[in-house]
Amino acid sequence: MTAMSRPDGELSIARYLQEPQVGPTAARIVLGAQLRKLRVGAGISREAAGKAIRGSHAKITRLERGQVGFKRPDLVDLLTLYQVLDPERRDDYFALADQANSSGWWHEYSDVLEDWFELHLGLEEAAALIRTYQVQFLPGLLQTEEYAHAVTRIGYPNAPQTKVDRLVALRMDRQRLLTRTEAPRLWAVVDEAVLRRPFGGREVMAAQLRSLLKAVEMPNVTLQIAPFSVGANAAAGAPFSILRFAEPELPDKVYLEQLTSALYLDKQESVDQYTAVMDRLCTEANTPSETADFLSRLLDELD
């Protein structure tokens, strides 16, 4: 079967398999979305699909939402049920399942990595645009190692130093995302209070400000400061991130991190609400061109 004769939805699978930057999380979500299209197109209920793989409708939901990995026998049975019988088409699905079941770079930190944060790392890896609003700490993608040590210790006050060191190493490895080929764009809005909290002491904070001055020169990094004068109508009160993806099968996701867990929202109504808040913040915050001057003034106050 040639590419011209494939259903439109499956052309994206072939393209996806050729993408060098795609991680397992994104592949899992794309595969789940494609299977949902096949099931709906075949007029098959989740209950019937679940029965075909000796499971329940809840298992089908988890598979279609990309929340779990894919077992080869289950995929074989589902493709047969959905009348995907051409060997070449099936091979594409099997290849994407292998990609979805592979380990991301963060697997080496499984000894300290929380399950709820692992999903965020996978989504972050696949994102084309990351918009984030922070009210307590700087975005992890922009933290220096010393600053990261200080704020990680706050979150894990009783943890052994070895665990803190591992968590910081994970954060530093995350930052390679911004300098890779076809790096995503990071657009961050940071409350002024974040920059006035001297985590780690004056020297650590001064070094952090100097690092931010270098970061804002990167073509894919935009940083805005929301000064104390920003009105309550714009301020969100809690940190959140919005991740957008190049692949149409991957819906925008809102990430809300809590103390010991996280929420992931992808219903359009929720995404639109948080996007509107982010847009207001960007409008009322200092412009990106004013960021360097703001950081330089804060640095002068510390020196």
Side-chain angles (χ1 to χ4, degrees):
M1 176 178 289
T2 66
M4 290 300 293
S5 63
R6 290 174 180 270
D8 289 343
E10 293 177 18
L11 291 177
S12 62
I13 287 185
R15 290 198 305 270
Y16 217 79
L17 291 170
Q18 299 171 2
E19 291 291 333
Q21 303 290 355
V22 168
T25 303
R28 198 165 62 235
I29 295 173
V30 167
L31 180 53
Q34 292 289 346
L35 289 174
R36 182 181 183 278
K37 287 182 180 179
L38 290 174
R39 180 181 60 77
V40 172
I44 297 172
S45 68
R46 287 191 178 93
E47 288 77 10
K51 185 177 180 180
I53 59 172
R54 300 152 299 282
S56 65
H57 71 280
K59 181 176 181 180
I60 295 298
T61 297
R62 291 193 295 271
L63 287 171
E64 292 182 350
R65 297 187 68 179
Q67 296 175 335
V68 294
F70 293 83
K71 295 180 180 179
R72 178 80 171 221
D74 289 346
L75 187 55
V76 168
D77 290 342
L78 288 176
L79 291 177
T80 301
L81 179 66
Y82 302 155
Q83 292 298 301
V84 179
L85 305 177
D86 180 86
E88 186 177 341
R89 289 178 66 192
R90 292 168 73 94
D91 284 346
D92 279 350
Y93 282 98
F94 296 147
L96 191 57
D98 289 341
Q99 196 166 321
N101 291 333
S102 65
S103 298
W105 63 263
W106 51 87
H107 180 71
E108 65 178 284
Y109 295 99
S110 58
D111 55 318
V112 295
L113 184 59
E114 304 285 354
D115 291 342
W116 54 265
F117 191 62
E118 182 176 353
L119 176 57
H120 178 65
L121 292 178
L123 294 172
E124 192 176 71
E125 186 82 2
L129 171 64
I130 303 168
R131 300 181 72 183
T132 185
Y133 172 58
Q134 298 295 323
V135 298
Q136 186 173 9
F137 306 118
L138 286 167
L141 291 172
L142 297 178
Q143 294 178 10
T144 64
E145 187 171 354
E146 293 75 14
Y147 181 98
H149 267 286
V151 299
T152 301
R153 175 54 70 186
I154 292 173
Y156 295 86
N158 300 316
Q161 188 60 42
T162 52
K163 179 173 183 177
V164 173
D165 291 343
R166 290 281 289 159
L167 288 168
V168 171
L170 168 63
R171 189 162 301 178
M172 295 301 101
D173 274 352
R174 279 176 65 198
Q175 296 180 3
R176 293 182 299 178
L177 181 71
L178 295 180
T179 55
R180 75 180 190 192
T181 303
E182 298 183 2
R185 181 185 177 191
L186 173 64
W187 188 349
V189 179
V190 175
D191 191 270
E192 179 179 349
V194 173
L195 296 169
R196 293 193 177 277
R197 295 190 182 100
F199 292 115
R202 294 173 65 89
E203 290 186 6
V204 169
M205 200 63 203
Q208 176 66 78
L209 292 174
R210 286 191 285 268
S211 178
L212 290 176
L213 282 168
K214 293 180 180 179
V216 297
E217 296 178 356
M218 298 173 63
N220 59 320
V221 174
T222 300
L223 177 62
Q224 291 183 259
I225 312 301
F228 293 134
S229 58
V230 167
N233 289 335
F240 66 94
S241 298
I242 304 172
L243 297 98
R244 177 162 294 174
F245 310 91
E247 284 292 331
E249 290 85 356
L250 295 173
D252 292 358
K253 288 189 180 291
V254 176
Y255 172 69
L256 303 171
E257 186 171 323
Q258 302 172 342
L259 185 61
T260 58
S261 62
L263 293 176
Y264 296 87
L265 310 177
D266 56 15
K267 290 185 178 179
Q268 195 59 51
E269 181 180 355
S270 298
V271 172
D272 289 345
Q273 183 176 358
Y274 278 94
T275 299
V277 172
M278 183 69 80
D279 289 343
R280 289 199 300 270
L281 285 164
C282 291
T283 299
E284 297 198 20
N286 291 342
T287 65
S289 61
E290 296 172 326
T291 297
D293 289 341
F294 191 98
L295 295 173
S296 296
R297 289 197 300 272
L298 288 179
L299 187 56
D300 289 341
E301 294 176 12
L302 291 175
D303 290 339

